[in-house]
Amino acid sequence: MVKSMEITKLSVRERLVVDLSVWMNDPEDYDFSPRASLEGSTMNLFNGNADTPSTSFELDEEQIITAERDRMVELRVKFSVEGMHGVLTNKTKNVRDGPNAKKLAEPRWKTLVPLNV
């Protein structure tokens, strides 16, 4: 199950691109199915068939025109898991020598999501 979603960056390239940070409760949890909708100038992102949006963002005029033209959003998702991807409390000065020399994998996902207008 998704614990939280946060839009980190919004940009216009060929289409509207949304960088999204998603925190999951469990590493074995695969319940993530994003949905996007546009209401006025606010873009809402939902997980699955949820009634309330997980996150929302105000779009500027260029982003609204691009979203309405394409009727789709490109999501670039970075997944993190609570307890695995957190803040290190004791950092090693020379990372090649310490136990924290290897980083945990941060899965990334890229997809096109239809936009409900």
Side-chain angles (χ1 to χ4, degrees):
M1 188 73 184
V2 173
K3 183 175 183 178
S4 67
M5 291 172 38
E6 178 187 358
I7 295 174
T8 55
K9 183 176 148 186
L10 225 79
S11 60
V12 175
R13 293 194 178 103
E14 295 172 5
R15 61 180 66 92
L16 187 62
V17 178
V18 178
D19 289 352
L20 187 65
S21 178
V22 176
W23 283 88
M24 305 297 280
N25 285 328
D26 187 348
E28 298 297 318
D29 190 7
Y30 305 107
D31 183 24
F32 180 67
S33 56
R35 306 284 185 260
S37 71
L38 183 65
E39 296 174 7
S41 66
T42 304
M43 186 179 68
N44 297 315
L45 291 175
F46 301 87
N47 181 30
N49 294 327
D51 295 334
T52 59
S54 298
T55 186
S56 59
F57 199 82
E58 289 291 323
L59 302 178
D60 63 19
E61 183 136 356
E62 179 188 6
Q63 294 168 341
I64 292 171
I65 292 169
T66 305
E68 288 176 345
R69 179 193 68 204
D70 295 339
R71 303 260 176 170
M72 68 175 57
V73 176
E74 180 178 331
L75 289 182
R76 295 180 179 179
V77 183
K78 176 186 151 196
F79 289 102
S80 300
V81 179
E82 190 64 38
M84 287 177 66
H85 301 98
V87 178
L88 292 175
T89 55
N90 299 321
K91 289 188 178 182
T92 307
K93 292 180 181 167
N94 188 352
V95 294
R96 293 175 292 178
D97 295 341
N100 300 327
K102 293 184 179 179
K103 292 177 68 177
L104 289 172
E106 292 181 342
R108 296 183 186 268
W109 193 48
K110 188 171 157 180
T111 187
L112 291 174
V113 176
L115 183 67
N116 297 328
V117 180

